[in-house]
Amino acid sequence: MALPDSGPDSRPALPAGAVAGDRTVLQTLRALDTGPRGLTEAEAGQRLARSGPNTLPTARPISLPVRFWRSLRDPFTAVLFCLGLVSAVVSAWGTACVILALVIVSCALRAHGEHRADRAGAGLRELVAGTASVRRRDSADAEPRAREIPVDDLVPGDVVRLAPGDLVPADLRLIKAHGLTVQQAALTGESAPAPKHPVDAPAAGDTAHLCFQGSSVASGSGTGVVVATGADTRFAAVRGTGRGRTAERARDGTGPAPLSAFDRSVHGISWTLIRFMLITPPLVLMANAALRGRGLETLPFAVAVAVGLTPEMLPVIVTTCLARGAALLTRTHGVIVRRLPALHDLGAVDVLCVDKTGTLTQDRPVVDPDRTGPDALHWAAVCAWWTLQAAELPHPDPLDEALLDGADLDRVETYEPVDALPFDPVRRLATAVVREPGALGTHLLVVKGAVEEVVERCAFDDPAEREKLLADAASAAGEGVRLLAVATARRPARTRAYTPADERGLTFHGFVAFHDALADTAHDAVRALAGQGVTVKVLTGDHPATAARACRDLGIDPGEVAVGAHTADLDAPALAELASRTTVFARCTPADKARVVAALRLHGHTVGFLGDGVNDLPALRAADVGVCPRDGVDVAREGADVVLAEKDLTAIGHAVEAGRHSSANIASYLRITLSSNLGNVIAMLAAGLLLPFLPMLPAQVLVQNLCFDGAQLALAHDRPDPAALRRPTVLRPRAFLRSITGFGALGALADLTTFGVLAWVLPGTLDLGDQDGFHAGWFAENLLTQALVMLLLRTGRRTAEGRAPTPIRASAAALAAVGILLPLSPLGPLLGMTGLPPVYYPLLGAVLALYAAALVALRRRMPQPQAGAAQP
């Protein structure tokens, strides 16, 4: 029976949810007022206007007020807010107002930065927007043509073709399928791919004939009609209406991701500081009560001391640094960072895992005519062409393109297609079932694939022939030649579908040999990555000798090549040890690649993975940073953290440098603010116990913090010394906290020396006579030492002694000017400060000079806490 075609008054009438009922394919097509030839462009346009774009209702931009409210969930911001509430409870309104101002400024800057980053990201995502292969007609009488359209433009009634690696763009009812399996863990939680096939009259609850949006094609191909788009899809129902859920980066496809290098670093530092902050106010209160007899009147001061420890600008600095780095990468190198913290993780990468084909070598292999027999080339081309046609794959893979370029297509097209079993990375075979001209009652199976898999399925009169073929293949592969084996088998004609079980008893026809040319930029890129301290490891499905040959041509010592199958029985520690010392893993399945990446992370490495195929998806998810080129398959691109304009290792080098640049600036901020704040707090605690009055009023502490925080925003625009970008950049909490303790103790010593200078310049200090002068002197010294710290504790040793870039120099100068002029201005008396004798300033200059010299000397003796391998 002929299926109905779409008419000019197409109005899809299939209600949402009815696709899973007992309708036949014909009833479904009639309800949607469409047919297997697809819609016309005019009909599709009318339906798009009625139903709207194929987008989820949760894909709305987050408003600035919502972002502001979410910023309060940052640990440091939340602690500040609580301290402000405590100040308000004890009626310390000045302290409460200043803390509230800090919270508002921090949240506003962070919300604005995230809003700008998301707006930029929305524009960037258009560069990698998904497309779908649909069958449409220019007019009602025209023949249908396959064309690529944006996923957003799909409408109910469209006929869509699916291929390996495609994301299912909408809810589909299958019309045809060839070996189709779909990964639908996002909907069902099942990690194993689900087989899909058309069912004319499905039973109630059966979904084998349906492919849902949010799933991806693991293997095979299919053709289906769109039955639901946008908010009507099953995926939209699972996610819930009106609320979006950020997709978890599952490492194994079923569970949440472990913390990344960035998360581990920042969380370790943050919670150590928060614990210290929470115990500081009780210590200050108890010490003042015991030694000075002061009661709750010191609570505002205790709160101010705790605030002084808080790096409240950390969320702002982190967001600004990463967003600027991501925007610069996109403008200059076409690299799109889809998850901002991934930029920091790129800077921390010390191992980059790549596939060989298309990364180290060019994407298009070429048939080697000197090593390929014409009979083998002919049958391999027959398999490639008719698998492409019968399975309705939208485009051939690089090997198939090379076969079709080298074969006589006129001879190839004389056969008639019957069925096809497309290639999948586990079976490593592709089979086309054809009917030979004039051969009635028989079907011909044409099989091509990996040498071991094909030869194993062939029948030989002499068993030694199999061993000889495998030896010949191993010899050719040892010379760097890539081989494809070809075989055929005749079977009685039948109507039921063919399965992998039919790929037995084959007749061997020979090998097709390919050679891979090295990628133009691979040699220079590998050398540049080595100069950045990044080790390149090759994880490939190719023959071990072929992979080793490519590595040697690039100047990479392959060492002893490991085979994926040999790693299956190793436990996690043994595999981690093997992965750490091995450069090349060959004959890897998708699961093998993911296990090797996870093992490297277990060994303490920060791992990036570059892949572009559906077989790379588990490894992309297992890595700290998944990288995919823009022309990779949809599911790989969506699973990646970073998308490249081209599959080029050079772009990875640029991305690593940008990540280290951003991370170095974040490390500079943390080192500067925590060292300075820790020194000030130690000095305030000591002075509070030695002096008969508070060494600094709460309002003065908070104003000082506000000025320092504002000046440090310039660190997001800093240019670190190049030497600091030559090593993987990881914030190691223990080493980092040790270094800031040393710098903080030095700052406290400078503060206590200043106390001595003030006691000599202001003789009435110790008997309550010169409180305002003491406050003004220490306020000025604090801001001047903080300006020095900004100049001298930036990332990069040579830069510490050299000339600072303009933004830092200008900010430090402004901070120093505030420290000197604010006590002399009309605001000085309002903050409890007054002018100082002129003799104080030369003495202060001498203290600052000694402090700067000691700071530089201490920095030279200390290792860089942000450099080195990640801590497991």
Side-chain angles (χ1 to χ4, degrees):
M1 179 184 296
L3 292 172
D5 227 349
S6 302
D9 298 324
S10 299
R11 297 182 184 277
L14 193 63
V19 295
D22 56 358
R23 290 173 181 261
T24 65
V25 174
L26 178 60
Q27 290 171 334
T28 300
L29 292 172
R30 281 179 172 169
L32 291 166
D33 205 356
T34 187
R37 299 175 66 208
L39 302 172
T40 66
E41 290 292 348
E43 292 166 351
Q46 294 170 3
R47 296 188 183 193
L48 183 63
R50 287 197 301 269
S51 62
N54 178 33
T55 56
L56 295 175
T58 55
R60 299 188 183 98
I62 302 174
S63 65
L64 278 172
V66 173
R67 290 187 188 278
F68 183 90
W69 176 252
R70 291 182 178 179
S71 299
L72 290 172
R73 294 183 298 186
D74 175 77
F76 290 123
T77 307
V79 169
L80 270 181
F81 187 72
C82 292
L83 292 174
L85 291 179
V86 171
S87 300
V89 168
V90 297
S91 300
W93 299 111
T95 303
C97 289
V98 175
I99 292 177
L100 182 60
L102 287 173
V103 170
I104 291 174
V105 169
S106 176
C107 291
L109 288 174
R110 183 176 186 181
H112 179 65
E114 290 181 351
H115 182 66
R116 288 183 59 188
D118 275 9
R119 286 179 59 189
L124 298 179
R125 281 189 287 273
E126 293 180 1
L127 299 177
V128 292
T131 61
S133 177
V134 302
R135 186 179 296 165
R136 282 187 181 175
R137 295 168 292 150
D138 294 327
S139 64
D141 298 329
E143 288 299 314
R145 291 188 301 113
R147 60 196 72 186
E148 294 287 326
I149 67 168
V151 168
D152 292 357
D153 293 345
L154 283 178
V155 295
D158 265 326
V159 176
V160 176
R161 298 197 300 178
L162 299 175
D166 285 351
L167 291 173
V168 178
D171 286 358
L172 307 178
R173 169 73 182 265
L174 288 175
I175 300 173
K176 297 180 183 177
H178 298 274
L180 182 65
T181 62
V182 172
Q183 175 60 261
Q184 51 188 19
L187 293 166
T188 65
E190 298 174 358
S191 58
K196 298 288 183 178
H197 52 84
V199 177
D200 189 55
D206 183 16
T207 61
H209 59 299
L210 300 173
C211 293
F212 299 107
Q213 185 183 39
S215 56
S216 59
V217 179
S219 63
S221 64
T223 301
V225 60
V226 175
V227 295
T229 60
D232 295 329
T233 62
R234 179 76 62 89
F235 190 50
V238 169
R239 289 177 61 139
T241 58
R243 291 185 60 188
R245 184 175 62 88
T246 303
E248 293 177 340
R249 297 175 63 241
R251 299 302 182 192
D252 60 357
T254 60
L259 292 177
S260 67
F262 178 80
D263 296 329
R264 292 194 301 269
S265 308
V266 175
H267 285 189
I269 294 172
S270 299
W271 288 109
T272 299
L273 291 173
I274 288 174
R275 285 192 289 268
F276 191 26
M277 288 166 51
L278 292 177
I279 66 173
T280 298
L283 287 178
V284 173
L285 289 173
M286 288 188 293
N288 276 275
L291 299 179
R292 289 291 177 182
R294 299 169 184 153
L296 286 179
E297 66 270 15
T298 61
L299 181 58
F301 175 70
V303 171
V305 170
V307 172
L309 279 172
T310 308
E312 56 271 359
M313 288 292 114
L314 180 61
V316 179
I317 294 290
V318 168
T319 302
T320 304
C321 288
L322 297 181
R324 288 188 74 252
L328 182 64
L329 269 180
T330 302
R331 289 197 306 269
T332 57
H333 303 294
V335 177
I336 301 168
V337 180
R338 302 180 68 245
R339 184 179 63 90
L340 276 185
L343 188 60
H344 170 275
D345 295 342
L346 272 172
V349 162
D350 61 333
V351 174
L352 177 65
C353 298
V354 301
D355 193 3
K356 178 181 72 69
T357 304
T359 305
L360 304 180
T361 60
Q362 295 181 7
D363 265 327
R364 293 201 61 177
V366 178
V367 174
D368 186 345
D370 296 332
R371 294 176 177 267
T372 302
D375 186 52
L377 177 59
H378 168 71
W379 289 118
V382 169
C383 181
W385 177 253
W386 290 114
T387 300
L388 187 69
Q389 303 303 318
E392 296 188 350
L393 297 174
H395 47 74
D397 65 22
L399 282 181
D400 286 348
E401 284 186 353
L403 289 171
L404 298 177
D405 288 342
D408 182 358
L409 285 183
D410 290 336
R411 285 185 60 201
V412 169
E413 293 177 347
T414 59
Y415 300 89
E416 296 180 17
V418 176
D419 201 354
L421 300 174
F423 178 85
D424 71 69
V426 176
R427 198 168 109 260
R428 299 201 296 163
L429 295 174
T431 298
V433 184
V434 298
R435 185 180 296 109
E436 297 177 278
L440 300 177
T442 62
H443 289 163
L444 180 67
L445 277 70
V446 186
V447 182
K448 65 175 176 66
V451 172
E452 296 90 339
E453 305 297 338
V454 174
V455 170
E456 180 187 344
R457 290 164 172 77
C458 290
F460 297 99
D461 296 331
D462 183 0
E465 187 175 355
R466 175 181 282 107
E467 301 303 323
K468 181 179 183 301
L469 288 173
L470 293 175
D472 291 345
S475 175
E479 300 174 16
V481 178
R482 189 174 183 179
L483 293 180
L484 198 67
V486 186
T488 62
R490 284 181 171 80
R491 299 281 189 266
R494 72 190 197 198
T495 57
R496 62 185 175 88
Y498 285 83
T499 69
D502 295 304
E503 298 168 335
R504 299 287 177 183
L506 307 177
T507 300
F508 185 76
H509 283 277
F511 298 125
V512 178
F514 303 86
H515 60 81
D516 293 327
L518 295 179
D520 295 336
T521 60
H523 189 276
D524 292 339
V526 168
R527 187 164 56 181
L529 286 168
Q532 293 176 311
V534 178
T535 301
V536 175
K537 294 183 181 290
V538 180
L539 278 57
T540 179
D542 284 347
H543 190 280
T546 305
R549 168 71 178 274
C551 289
R552 282 192 292 269
D553 290 344
L554 288 170
I556 301 174
D557 182 8
E560 183 179 351
V561 179
V563 178
H566 296 167
T567 66
D569 297 330
L570 298 178
D571 59 17
L575 181 58
E577 180 63 30
L578 174 66
S580 185
R581 67 173 188 267
T582 302
T583 301
V584 180
F585 287 83
R587 292 300 191 210
C588 287
T589 65
D592 292 333
K593 293 182 180 182
R595 290 184 69 238
V596 170
V597 169
L600 286 167
R601 296 187 69 206
L602 179 65
H603 203 263
H605 296 284
T606 302
V607 184
F609 184 85
L610 172 61
D612 66 346
V614 64
N615 59 322
D616 294 321
L617 185 59
L620 285 168
R621 288 174 169 169
D624 287 285
V625 186
V627 185
C628 179
R630 188 167 62 185
D631 57 358
V633 297
D634 290 349
V635 66
R637 195 172 62 231
E638 290 297 322
D641 303 305
V642 178
V643 178
L644 308 179
E646 303 293 341
K647 193 173 186 179
D648 184 358
L649 281 179
T650 304
I652 294 285
H654 293 309
V656 167
E657 182 176 351
R660 293 181 182 178
H661 189 139
S662 298
S663 299
N665 288 342
I666 294 170
S668 289
Y669 168 77
L670 283 171
R671 187 187 309 108
I672 290 168
T673 192
L674 296 179
S675 298
S676 178
N677 290 354
L678 182 60
N680 286 341
V681 168
I682 294 173
M684 278 192 281
L685 292 175
L689 301 178
L690 296 174
L691 297 175
F693 54 85
L694 294 178
M696 189 175 286
L697 299 179
Q700 295 166 0
V701 176
L702 298 174
V703 169
Q704 171 192 293
N705 288 343
L706 194 59
C707 294
F708 191 30
D709 290 335
Q712 287 182 103
L713 290 175
L715 288 169
H717 303 269
D718 192 17
R719 294 189 296 274
D721 184 69
L725 307 180
R726 294 177 190 151
R727 301 180 300 274
T729 307
V730 178
L731 296 173
R732 297 182 294 176
R734 291 183 181 177
F736 199 88
L737 292 173
R738 282 198 301 269
S739 71
I740 65 172
T741 301
F743 292 128
L746 188 59
L749 182 61
D751 288 341
L752 293 174
T753 304
T754 303
F755 293 168
V757 171
L758 286 169
W760 183 73
V761 171
L762 303 171
T765 297
L766 298 180
D767 58 7
L768 303 178
D770 286 315
Q771 292 186 49
D772 290 352
F774 184 92
H775 292 156
W778 195 23
F779 183 87
E781 185 265 352
N782 266 334
L783 290 188
L784 288 169
T785 55
Q786 287 170 341
L788 276 177
V789 168
M790 285 184 63
L791 293 175
L792 298 178
L793 292 190
R794 295 170 52 248
T795 299
R797 292 180 183 272
R798 291 201 302 267
T799 308
E801 292 86 26
R803 183 176 177 178
T806 300
I808 303 299
R809 193 169 68 247
S811 294
L815 190 63
V818 171
I820 294 173
L821 299 177
L822 185 61
L824 305 176
S825 72
L827 292 177
L830 296 177
L831 292 173
M833 295 184 288
T834 187
L836 291 161
V839 69
Y840 170 72
Y841 294 101
L843 294 174
L844 178 60
V847 172
L848 293 176
L850 291 173
Y851 173 63
L855 201 62
V856 171
L858 181 60
R859 176 170 180 134
R860 285 176 174 170
R861 294 175 59 87
M862 281 193 172
Q864 292 291 315
Q866 81 278 5
Q871 297 292 319

